Amino acid sequence: MSTATSVQIAESRVDARFAELKAQGRAGLVTFITAGDPDAETTYQILRALPEAGADLIEIGMPFSDPMADGPAIQASSQRALKNGISLAKTLEIVHRFRAEDSTTPVILMGYYNPIYHMGVEKFLRLARDAGVDGLIIVDLPPEEDRELCLPAIDAGLHWIRLATPTTDDKRLPKVLENTSGFLYYVSILGITGTRAAAAEEVGAAIERIKRHSDLPVAVGFGIRTPEHAAAIGKVADAAVVGSAIVERIAEALDENGKAGTGLVDSVTELIRDLRTGLDR
C-alpha cells in the first residue's frame, strides 16, 4: 500500500522532538490545557512547569463558546476562560511569553475555526508564527476545506495536524493524510473527549493500519487518564495525549470563587510526572 508523502516544515520543533523520542526509544507525552483556565497568569505558570514535569509536546486549547467535539470537562474549562476575559489574541500572548523562556518544546494550538476567522486568517497566522506556535489542530475543518486555513498555515511554516478516528477507513485515510505534517492525532474512541477509554489492542491494530499509509508519528488521545493507561498506549503509539484528566485536575484545585488555589500548579505537575513515569515503565 502506498505511503503518503509528508509535508516538510523547515526548522520544525515537532519533527525534532519526535526524532529525539524515537532515538531514545520512548513514547512522547502530549499534554493539553485550555488557555486562560482559570486565568492567563495561571496558564502561563502551568505551561512553564509542564516540560520539566515530563511533557514532550504541549497542546493549548483556544477557548470557544461552542466546543462541539469536547466533553464536559474541557467545555467547562473553555467557559471559565471566556468568563475571565481570555481571547485568541491573549492566548497568543501567553504562547509568546512561554516561548521567550523555552525555545524547544513544541506548542500546538487546538480548537475551532470560528475565532480564527473572526481575527482574520492572515493576521492570526502572522501572530501565531511570531509567538512561536508550531502547529494547528482545527477540529471542524475537514480536508475538503484546506484552502480556508490549512494551506495558508503550511505556507506560514506551521504544521497542520489532522485527526483520524476508528471510522477513518482505508478509502478516507489518504485524504486525511493529505497536507498533514508533524504527527497524526488518532482519536481512539468515537464521541466526545474524556468519556471513556479504548483498549490498547484496538489502538495498536488501528496504528498498524495507519502506518501502512504514512510514516508520520501517531499520537493517541481521548480517554487516557491514568499512568497505567498511558503506559499501555505508549507501547503501541508514538505518543499519548492527555487532556481531560489535566483539565479536571485544574478544576479540582479552584477555590469557591473559581480562582486558582495555592497548590494548583503543583497538583497539575504531580499528575504529569505520574503520567511520564507510567510511559517510561
Side-chain angles (χ1 to χ4, degrees), residues 92-230:
L92 292 169
E93 289 171 6
I94 295 169
V95 178
H96 192 278
R97 187 179 174 192
F98 169 75
R99 186 58 75 207
E101 291 189 5
D102 186 317
S103 62
T104 59
T105 304
V107 172
I108 311 299
L109 293 184
M110 185 172 187
Y112 301 82
Y113 183 45
N114 185 279
I116 296 169
Y117 175 79
H118 282 283
M119 174 178 276
V121 167
E122 184 177 342
K123 179 181 179 181
F124 167 75
L125 292 175
R126 173 173 51 81
L127 292 176
R129 188 65 179 165
D130 290 347
V133 172
D134 298 289
L136 304 173
I137 302 173
I138 307 300
V139 301
D140 56 348
L141 282 181
E144 288 76 15
E145 304 294 335
D146 275 0
R147 292 185 180 276
E148 289 286 335
L149 182 59
C150 170
L151 297 181
I154 292 169
D155 288 343
L158 299 178
H159 286 289
W160 188 261
I161 298 156
R162 204 97 69 178
L163 303 176
T165 74
T167 60
T168 308
D169 59 20
D170 286 331
K171 183 178 180 181
R172 179 64 174 170
L173 192 54
K175 188 66 176 176
V176 169
L177 291 166
E178 191 176 301
N179 297 321
T180 301
S181 66
F183 63 94
L184 183 72
Y185 188 140
Y186 180 67
V187 177
S188 59
I189 59 171
L190 297 176
I192 56 176
T193 58
T195 51
R196 61 184 183 87
E201 295 79 12
E202 298 172 21
V203 174
I207 292 174
E208 283 184 18
R209 183 171 64 84
I210 291 168
K211 294 282 191 178
R212 293 198 292 268
H213 290 265
S214 172
D215 58 1
L216 284 171
V218 179
V220 175
F222 279 50
I224 300 173
R225 314 183 69 82
T226 67
E228 292 73 23
H229 193 206

Side-chain angles (χ1 to χ4, degrees), residues 39-51:
D39 58 75
E41 179 61 28
T42 303
T43 296
Y44 167 69
Q45 295 300 335
I46 295 171
L47 268 180
R48 67 198 301 261
L50 286 175

Side-chain angles (χ1 to χ4, degrees), residues 26-29 56 227 230-231 233-234 240 274-281:
R26 65 191 186 99
L29 175 60
D56 297 295
I233 294 299
D274 289 345
L275 292 164
R276 179 73 262 170
T277 299
L279 277 169
D280 288 341
R281 282 177 188 152

Side-chain angles (χ1 to χ4, degrees), residues 24-36:
Q24 295 171 352
R26 65 191 186 99
L29 175 60
V30 184
T31 57
F32 172 94
I33 61 172
T34 299

